[in-house]
Amino acid sequence: MTYLAKPRLHHPTLKKNAVGYTRRDYEGKVSTLCAGCGHDSISAALIEAFWQLDIQPHRVAKLSGIGCSSKTPDYFLGNSHGFNTVHGRMPSVLTGANLANRDLTYIGVSGDGDSASIGLGQFAHVMRRGVNMAYILENNGVYGLTKGQFSATADKGSKAKKGSVNSDSPVDTVSLALLMGATFVARSFSGDKQQLVPLVKAAIAHPGAAFIDVISPCVAFNNHEGSTKSYDYVRAHNEAVNRLDFWPSREAITAEYREGEVIEVAAGAEGGILKLRKLAADYDPSDKISAITHIARAAQKGEVLTGLLYAAPDAEDLHAHLNTYGAAFNTLGAKELCPGSGVLERINASLR
Amino acid sequence: MSVKRIEAVNDFVIKFANVNGSGSASANELFARAFLRMGIPVSPRNIFPSNIQGLPTWYEVRVSENGWLGRRGGCDLMVAMNPQTWAQDLKEIDPGGYLFYDNTKPLPKSRFREDIHVVGMPLTEISNSAYTLPRERQLFKNIIGLGALAALIGLEPEVIAELIGEQYKGKEKLLKPNLNALQLGLNYAREHLKDAIGLKAKRAYAVGEQIFMEGNAATALGCVYGGATVCAWYPITPSSSVAEAFTNYCSKLRVDKDTGKNKFAIIQAEDELASIGIVTGAGWNGARAFTATSGPGISLMSEFIGLAYFAEIPATIIDVQRGGPSTGMPTRTQQSDLLACAYASHGDTKHVLLFPEDPHECFTMAADCLDLAERLQTPVFLMTDLDIGMNHRLCKPLKWDDARRYDRGKVMTAEMLDAGREFARYKDLDGDGIPFRTYPGTHESKGAYFTRGTSKNPSAIYSEAGPDYQYNMQRLLKKHDFAKTLVPKPLLTPSREPARFGAIYYGSTSPSMNEALESLAQQGIFVNALRVRAFPFADEIQDFVHSHSKVFVIEQNRDAQMKTLLVNEAHINPASLVSILHYDGAPITARFITKEISEIAAALNVRPIKRDKAA
């Protein structure tokens, strides 16, 4: 479908948001990802979230690393600047961009290879620094662009398409983000628009480092016998638990479930399907220690919690930590920045 | 047998051999500064280990009323305070020179040399009888030694007292015991060591307006003046003090008076990958940003440097060069990152390099780098080194023209877009290879683009088409070629007499080269010298090589990296170049250059015997 150009003309009666844009104005190029890829659902959620938040598209900067997920910033917010950076290094580029102009909204898109393997260091440190951004990790446990190798979030014991079995423990990005100091931490599922869109909106609005791990099944490389994320595997286990509406192959995976409920989807914990438990309605996301405990308890039961796990009520960002000037650095010139020849004369005098 | 005695006024080399962590650094610096206060140019160099306490360290002081600020080579007076390096230190003294040492514990005659003058003084004994705390005994021993040397060489005690006073301003408790220790040394030398050393300091007027500054501090100040707002770095010797000095200067010069807010952001990153990533992100978004690092950091940054080159993002990279990887030699100086920087990264890349000779140029060129990076939309390297960066050097005062405005390069604004100006991110509109860019957030419907490495057409739309790639690569080449019209020009030092030989040199070799040129001229060897200040090479460099029968290329690395660049990039016939290479970790010396050039020149001057054709 990628050979079809999107029509440029929009219907005049399309609904506009408070800043005068239609939802179409938040779209990007046609996706070149596989049909049914969870990542496209996430792009759709981002489009919806920005439209609903009344943010002018050009006031958003989209940054990504390398990989399938990192290609997606081309598929939403076509009137925003985007930057497809270096594998695993989006966080540092986003940090620099944010320092240069604090007035834009920053969205970082990454994958599990990008953030949990090659970029684990930058992932951890960008959370520590509290860069004001919404960091979306599109998590499918597999390397798509290089055709099916394990990523660091792959389940122990799961089998790759080419036959090898993963013996390493998976990285839990949500726990890591919490421990590193992220002030907004959530987990969701690409197929659960009802949950994802409000989470993305909240992450964008959050004045600090906001992180969402979005489980996003790979339809191309994690759909074979032996994978704990294959459709067949899920289908087989689905009968046993009988909770999930199953999806036909090559169509986007969706799931709606209520607070406190558990579903099973094609992304898995050790020896089984990933069991997503939506946080109860009365869960208090302002308590970090409780969030860490909840995640650990759920993991013990083989479940993965979804929803807003933690949001610090008193979040601050890097600019606050560094006490930076109010105006964007990229608007400052010699008048504001150069101390001038008089000062230099005094410096010279002090060096004699 | 009478031993020759080196007699010199305001022209000698004194070397202090110490153990690091013994508190010698402060006394050494006082010693060097005393000459400056007496109007005598001096050039000190720290030669130090990758260590905090216990390993050998040296402080070499070149005193030269003529203003030769490079290392000369040899040593006239060795102040040998380190038993570990005693034998090695003794060997370095020129015949007729002097050894000053602590003779509290007597040493057998076999441990000395007969062709030098030995000046012993019971420093430990004097210090131990005057002080009780072990720390005091150690620290004041250094000051007692300083007092003795002042008396021996003729440094004015008032000058040293004044310097000590400045050092301990506000810490009166420390001032008095330091002055006492100084006096102890002076008294002993005056009484027991009269006229023991033939090296004399005599008040002169050769320092003038010059300033005494470390290159790294000057680089940092250049970044402040040049408008850098973002600095991201990772600690690595010998570059860390660039970021530290930037922090220090910014806290004084860049805090908004009305709001108390900082017009700078400094991030000590988790590694060099993040440092250059932050710089790239800031540059992409229109802020002036730099990182400071050394060779290993360049290696780590290489992937990003390639991205910045292809995506055309301004970045200023300060490379304070040192010996290679790991630890040890890396605290020694070298010029060995030229090729690593010129071609940093994967794919076809070429980068702009600037070569400062001293702190003065570190200041001006750091500011130039920030302009060039934005004008050319590419990474630009300031190729300094440990010798310039971490030593105090006498240099011209720093200057800034208040009329200077930052060159932000080709940035298309919302007004220009509204006026209907064509915007295609990677299209050459002006014939200089440099396209226009927009900052993110500029315009609601025009000027946004998606930044990638290689795969794009001139409008920044994704493309893997061969012609699109080639267009872009040719344009980048054109841009690099255009850069040679913008970078600092090479500087010619013509010889007094017509010369067959030329010499090309750069960076920290400069002061030793200046002295070598004078020594060679005195021997009747005349050499025109060209100091290369940037890559890509100005056309003058090629012309210079062509107008000499042989050109020496003097470098501080093993592989003749500048020569390689000249051959590759200025299309110079390698046969016309003769490499002179110095790479033992210590800065190159004037004597080394003089000896090498005179030997090669002598060999080249041999005229072949004419064969008798009639035979």
Side-chain angles (χ1 to χ4, degrees), chain B residues 18-274:
Chain B
N18 297 108
V19 180
N20 75 340
S22 66
S24 57
S26 140
N28 291 345
E29 203 178 312
L30 284 169
F31 178 78
R33 285 181 182 274
F35 285 93
L36 290 178
R37 287 289 165 95
M38 288 174 65
I40 309 159
V42 68
S43 181
R45 284 177 170 77
N46 273 300
I47 297 162
F48 61 95
S50 304
N51 198 46
I52 301 299
Q53 196 167 33
L55 284 185
T57 175
W58 293 270
Y59 188 72
E60 188 177 297
V61 183
R62 177 75 209 274
V63 178
S64 167
E65 191 177 343
N66 287 331
W68 303 129
L69 300 176
R71 273 182 89 215
R72 182 198 70 183
C75 170
D76 302 306
L77 166 60
M78 178 69 72
V79 181
M81 294 297 169
N82 186 358
Q84 274 177 282
T85 57
W86 176 269
Q88 173 194 342
D89 294 334
L90 242 65
K91 262 192 211 158
E92 269 193 52
I93 304 169
D94 283 10
Y98 307 88
L99 168 73
F100 181 83
Y101 82 113
D102 182 354
N103 67 0
T104 303
K105 277 185 188 165
L107 285 171
K109 211 170 170 235
S110 61
R111 301 292 301 277
F112 296 92
R113 269 169 58 181
E114 292 200 340
D115 60 342
I116 57 170
H117 304 274
V118 177
V119 184
M121 175 171 167
L123 289 165
T124 305
E125 192 185 304
I126 297 170
S127 186
N128 288 359
S129 59
Y131 305 96
T132 46
L133 296 173
R135 180 78 188 145
E136 285 189 336
R137 285 175 166 181
Q138 176 57 47
L139 288 177
F140 291 127
K141 190 168 85 174
N142 296 318
I143 302 294
I144 295 167
L146 176 66
L149 286 171
L152 286 163
I153 292 171
L155 287 171
E156 295 167 15
E158 305 74 38
V159 164
I160 300 178
E162 181 186 282
L163 285 164
I164 293 177
E166 288 169 19
Q167 192 176 341
Y168 294 107
K169 203 173 166 186
K171 301 174 195 162
E172 312 303 331
K173 255 191 187 165
L174 294 167
L175 176 63
K176 227 179 140 199
N178 270 286
L179 292 177
N180 276 341
L182 184 73
Q183 198 58 45
L184 284 173
L186 281 164
N187 293 346
Y188 183 92
R190 282 172 183 161
E191 202 173 319
H192 303 282
L193 306 172
K194 217 167 165 26
D195 200 30
I197 289 177
L199 313 174
K200 296 293 169 203
K202 202 178 147 204
R203 197 164 265 275
Y205 300 91
V207 172
E209 286 296 288
Q210 292 179 93
I211 58 168
F212 192 56
M213 188 180 201
E214 283 173 329
N216 283 353
T219 300
L221 195 58
C223 290
V224 173
Y225 273 73
T229 47
V230 175
C231 163
W233 66 293
Y234 184 76
I236 180 171
T237 305
S239 74
S240 304
S241 53
V242 174
E244 285 159 359
F246 185 74
T247 308
N248 193 20
Y249 282 127
C250 279
S251 69
K252 290 173 187 149
L253 304 173
R254 279 280 193 79
V255 180
D256 185 58
K257 284 193 185 68
D258 299 330
T259 60
K261 298 280 184 184
N262 298 331
K263 291 179 190 169
F264 61 90
I266 300 162
I267 305 280
Q268 185 189 315
E270 60 271 28
D271 54 30
E272 286 88 345
L273 305 167

Side-chain angles (χ1 to χ4, degrees), chain A residues 74-92:
Chain A
D74 210 14
Y75 314 143
F76 60 87
L77 299 180
N79 274 326
S80 309
H81 277 65
F83 195 167
N84 206 171
T85 68
V86 173
H87 197 18
R89 321 286 175 209
M90 173 274 286
S92 62

